[in-house]
Amino acid sequence: MTPAPVIIAIDGRSGAGKTTLAIELAARLREHHKVSLFHLEDVYPGWNGLAAGIERYVTTVLAPLSRGEAAEWVSWDWEMHYDGPARTTLPAEIVIVEGVGAAADSARPMLDAVIWAESSDDDRRTRALARDGSTYEPFWDQWAAQEDEWLAADAVHETADIRVLNRADGTAPDDVLLALQYLPALAPALLPELSVRRGLQLHAERLDCVPDAARLFDTLYGRSPNAVWLDSSLRTDGTAAERSRFSILADDGGSYGQVVWHRSGVTRLTTGTATVETAGPFFRWLDGVWGRRALRAPEGYDCEFTLGWLGYLGYELKRETGGSDIPSGTPDAAMIFAGRAVVLDHLEECAWLLALEAPDAPEWTALARSAVTAAAGAASTATASTAVGIGSIAAPAFTGRDTEHAYKAKIADAQHEITEGNTYEVCLTTAVRADVAGGPDGLDPWQAYLALRRKNPAPFASYLRFGELTVASTSPERFLKIAADGGMRAEPIKGTRPRAADPAGDEQLRRDLESSPKDRAENIMIVDLLRNDLSHFAVAGSVTVSRLCAIESYATVHQMVSTIDAKLKPGLPRAEAVAACFPAGSMTGAPKISTMAILDRLEGAPRGVYSGAIGYFSLNGAMDSAVAIRTLVIRADGAGGAELSLGIGGAITADSSAQEEYDEIRTKAFGVLSALGAGFPES
């Protein structure tokens, strides 16, 4: 008897291409493993024998194989319509079973992975009859009725680990093989495949030109369903310049492209035609796909991003870091894996083309090179921006989740919690939302973002498109950076004043913020919280505060910013270090866990993307991210229109003025709402 094998079932309705998929998947796995393959069509007892065939398969084939024993089974003679000769299937390191019912309810306890193959009804019939000819055609409806009856009581397609849209174009086997590597139960068996995935080679090419980023993104990714632009749109000097040096443009296309969503403990990843679902904490999943250094930066390339994951972590991931579990209307996390990208270096005035070595990499590199050259040929940034079309946007009519009276009442409630000693500072938030119609007068998310970045440039601006969900952010605040060498940095913002058109008045507002005891107290409390967060994964004695309560000025606001640095302990899981700081203390208050519970009660609604983090997780172990503030979330409503949401908030302390706090959220909303031609809702 050999050790129990890993058993993979490929199920689906007739004609979905299961047999070809199984044969080709087995061929790929045989590069590193001994593989056995079993086809259920060999044991169905006739055209009316689906249920009986499933029973035969489970008892005489699957049960012994799952114990590591040879399976002795009786075949079916489709010409004589009677039992055929006895046959044997030997166990192996990996066993693939395929056919209608391969993952039936009685089989699933013995399976390590279930793949459900899908195709359109027309494709299935054409494929099945082309393979089996006239012998199948008279029985097609009879067999389909059995499938309907079985699936009505056994929802295999809903519980499968992987679902693949099998177009019979040769892509499904590779997509499925990649998806299998994300299943924890299969990871030990697929170590050779995982090592190949981690042994990636990076091609990098520098182009000495200055392309217009908006034109370039629209050319390369304007039609990509999933794309990310981490857009350092603020050109400035001083400390903020470091945060504004690089812009990253990518989608999930190409050989390595993937997109992942996480909701309430379930991670759903799509790679090509295959989708795999796994249960468990997202930060643990993230550490498995990101936490190890797999690539080094090319010579002369100063950006820490060497391809990898880009997207957002939503606030509701706090369920994994000490907060309560509150469902959100948007995914708790959404990211793409970019196997190719364009990185703009605004300091060196050049563009880098990055691509993992793959058969399609040279073609993409040529396309990207041409797009960069064309975008650099525009006479000016203003001309290029006009070319992609900022256009006019019909002003949405926003309504507030809280009236002015209700928000001020929540401020009083928060101050009561402070008085009772339950918290020191409460970062109370609310939201404004609007519904916009579709059609020519509706809001175009891309046009909206172009208007936002023109009105309110920021070092951590970003445009994220995940199918029907768009995130348009002009965030000035870094959440957390971890360099490839383990250096960590957080830069919280606490303290805001509006800008004034009059230079003297503007300078007075800046000085008022700089000298405000209340704002300094808010900022210092968050600095202390972040020092504690970073210390859990930092080398002892490495946590330092290099800037305290410095003032930075942006298009519509002055902000008070501090910088905390630390050094990550070697060997510790990097995603867990991110989790230790999540969500940003500047968006919760202190102490973090007890204050999050207070916020859940006061706010009475999920925050979604807002006050989470937006950024990248690179293959060299580096990450950088912004706090998701000044962030417009746009969700298509399925009828051609969209729902817009903008989160806003501020820190409440014992000496906060309710009126000043309410005025502050209006100030913070101004940069986004005014870019859309909208105003703050009147209570």
Side-chain angles (χ1 to χ4, degrees):
M1 186 177 72
T2 61
V6 169
I7 304 180
I8 301 170
I10 302 179
D11 209 331
R13 303 196 66 158
S14 292
K18 300 181 297 299
T19 301
T20 302
L21 175 59
I23 292 170
E24 294 185 359
L25 180 61
R28 285 158 174 76
L29 288 169
R30 285 186 178 118
E31 294 180 17
H32 302 288
H33 311 276
K34 291 183 179 179
V35 180
S36 284
L37 185 57
F38 177 79
H39 306 284
L40 266 72
E41 66 180 19
D42 292 336
V43 296
Y44 300 131
W47 292 111
N48 198 36
L50 176 58
I54 292 173
E55 183 178 353
R56 276 190 178 192
Y57 147 70
V58 172
T59 57
T60 66
V61 179
L62 190 57
L65 287 177
S66 68
R67 299 190 297 265
E69 301 169 0
E72 307 285 346
W73 49 276
V74 177
S75 64
W76 181 256
D77 189 325
W78 288 93
E79 291 185 359
M80 301 300 296
H81 303 287
Y82 200 75
D83 283 343
R87 296 183 182 177
T88 301
T89 298
L90 297 176
E93 184 183 356
I94 296 175
V95 173
I96 298 176
V97 292
E98 71 82 17
V100 181
D105 183 68
S106 56
R108 284 203 285 275
M110 291 175 274
L111 302 174
D112 296 284
V114 172
I115 300 164
W116 179 264
E118 298 177 334
S119 293
S120 70
D121 290 345
D122 289 343
D123 285 348
R124 289 193 302 104
R125 184 183 179 93
T126 300
R127 191 181 297 162
L129 298 185
R131 187 189 70 183
D132 294 327
S134 58
T135 59
Y136 194 170
E137 190 166 13
F139 303 100
W140 175 265
D141 292 335
Q142 178 183 350
W143 189 264
Q146 293 176 79
E147 291 180 353
D148 290 340
E149 182 180 359
W150 166 58
L151 290 172
D154 190 351
V156 176
H157 52 298
E158 296 178 4
T159 59
D161 300 298
I162 296 171
R163 299 178 69 163
V164 58
L165 179 60
N166 195 356
R167 300 192 182 100
D169 58 2
T171 60
D174 288 330
D175 293 340
V176 168
L177 180 58
L178 182 57
L180 285 169
Q181 297 168 40
Y182 287 99
L183 294 176
L186 268 62
L190 298 183
L191 280 176
E193 286 77 13
L194 286 166
S195 65
V196 170
R197 191 177 85 187
R198 291 167 183 155
L200 303 172
Q201 298 296 316
L202 176 64
H203 169 79
E205 178 180 334
R206 172 174 169 150
L207 302 175
D208 288 308
C209 57
V210 184
D212 175 75
R215 175 188 289 270
L216 179 61
F217 185 87
D218 191 56
T219 299
L220 285 176
Y221 308 123
R223 285 151 294 284
S224 300
N226 305 300
V228 170
W229 177 13
L230 302 184
D231 172 25
S232 295
S233 59
L234 179 67
R235 302 293 168 262
T236 186
D237 297 322
T239 305
E242 177 268 334
R243 304 197 294 274
S244 299
R245 179 173 174 180
F246 299 103
S247 292
I248 301 168
L249 303 82
D251 72 356
D252 63 339
S255 299
Y256 293 97
Q258 298 156 59
V259 60
V260 64
W261 297 266
H262 181 91
R263 284 182 183 271
S264 299
V266 176
T267 299
R268 186 170 185 261
L269 179 139
T270 296
T271 173
T273 60
T275 298
V276 55
E277 288 192 0
T278 55
F282 184 76
F283 283 109
R284 185 181 302 165
W285 180 92
L286 180 61
D287 196 67
V289 302
W290 164 65
R292 301 170 183 85
R293 296 180 62 176
L295 283 179
R296 294 185 180 276
E299 189 70 26
Y301 175 75
D302 294 331
C303 183
E304 290 271 9
F305 178 72
T306 58
L307 300 176
W309 300 92
L310 307 101
Y312 76 80
L313 309 176
Y315 178 75
E316 269 62 53
L317 282 180
K318 67 184 174 66
R319 70 169 61 88
E320 300 180 19
T321 63
S324 59
D325 184 1
I326 297 178
S328 173
T330 54
D332 300 328
M335 296 195 295
I336 62 169
F337 181 86
R340 54 201 196 186
V342 179
V343 178
L344 306 181
D345 186 335
H346 304 297
L347 178 64
E348 295 288 333
E349 297 189 334
C350 67
W352 286 85
L353 311 182
L354 306 180
L356 296 176
E357 288 191 2
D360 58 356
E363 180 183 0
W364 177 84
T365 301
L367 176 67
R369 187 186 304 118
S370 176
V372 168
T373 302
S380 67
T381 300
T383 301
S385 296
T386 302
V388 296
I390 289 176
S392 60
I393 299 170
F398 282 86
T399 58
R401 190 171 73 202
D402 296 301
T403 65
E404 179 176 355
H405 175 77
Y407 190 72
K408 288 179 177 178
K410 291 181 178 182
I411 291 173
D413 201 345
Q415 289 177 316
H416 175 72
E417 295 284 356
I418 294 170
T419 302
E420 292 294 305
N422 299 324
T423 180
Y424 306 112
E425 180 179 6
V426 179
C427 296
L428 182 66
T429 77
T430 186
V432 295
R433 62 175 304 279
D435 293 314
V436 294
D441 296 328
L443 182 138
D444 179 345
W446 173 239
Q447 302 294 341
Y449 178 67
L450 293 179
L452 285 176
R453 77 187 294 263
R454 183 176 63 171
K455 177 78 174 182
N456 191 29
F460 289 110
S462 57
Y463 178 77
L464 285 62
R465 183 169 60 238
F466 293 99
E468 300 298 302
L469 174 67
T470 300
V471 179
S473 178
T474 55
S475 174
E477 181 177 358
R478 171 175 275 148
F479 162 53
L480 181 67
K481 176 180 180 179
I482 301 178
D485 65 3
M488 297 191 289
R489 170 168 289 183
E491 295 185 281
I493 290 177
K494 264 291 162 269
T496 304
R497 293 292 186 278
R499 299 296 302 268
D502 171 53
D506 190 59
E507 178 61 21
Q508 181 58 47
L509 286 166
R510 182 187 180 282
R511 290 181 178 178
D512 178 66
L513 175 60
E514 187 175 37
S515 60
S516 166
K518 171 188 172 295
D519 290 296
R520 290 182 66 87
E522 291 178 9
N523 196 294
I524 290 169
M525 276 190 259
I526 300 305
V527 167
D528 285 341
L529 186 154
L530 281 168
R531 288 173 64 232
N532 179 70
D533 287 348
L534 290 171
S535 69
H536 294 299
F537 284 79
V539 173
S542 69
V543 181
T544 59
V545 179
S546 56
R547 277 198 313 165
L548 186 64
C549 299
I551 306 301
E552 293 181 357
S553 298
Y554 296 91
T556 59
V557 293
H558 300 289
Q559 305 264 215
M560 183 177 286
V561 187
S562 294
T563 302
I564 307 101
D565 292 304
K567 186 73 172 180
L568 181 69
K569 289 179 183 177
L572 291 184
R574 295 192 169 210
E576 293 303 319
V578 177
C581 299
F582 190 88
S586 60
M587 299 306 299
T588 62
K592 183 184 287 188
I593 292 177
S594 61
T595 304
M596 285 193 294
I598 293 170
L599 288 167
D600 288 342
R601 178 178 63 81
L602 292 180
E603 295 176 359
R607 294 185 183 180
V609 180
Y610 171 60
S611 72
I614 298 171
Y616 69 75
F617 299 86
S618 171
L619 289 173
N620 62 352
M623 62 83 62
D624 201 358
S625 58
V627 180
I629 55 176
R630 320 291 197 272
T631 297
L632 184 69
V633 178
I634 306 169
R635 289 192 293 170
D637 62 9
E643 175 187 295
L644 280 57
S645 176
L646 175 68
I648 41 178
I652 309 303
T653 60
D655 58 353
S656 288
S657 158
Q659 186 59 51
E660 289 177 1
E661 294 295 343
Y662 189 73
D663 290 343
E664 182 173 322
I665 66 170
R666 293 173 63 97
T667 295
K668 290 176 176 177
F670 174 77
V672 174
L673 297 182
S674 62
L676 303 178
F680 197 88
E682 296 298 328
S683 299

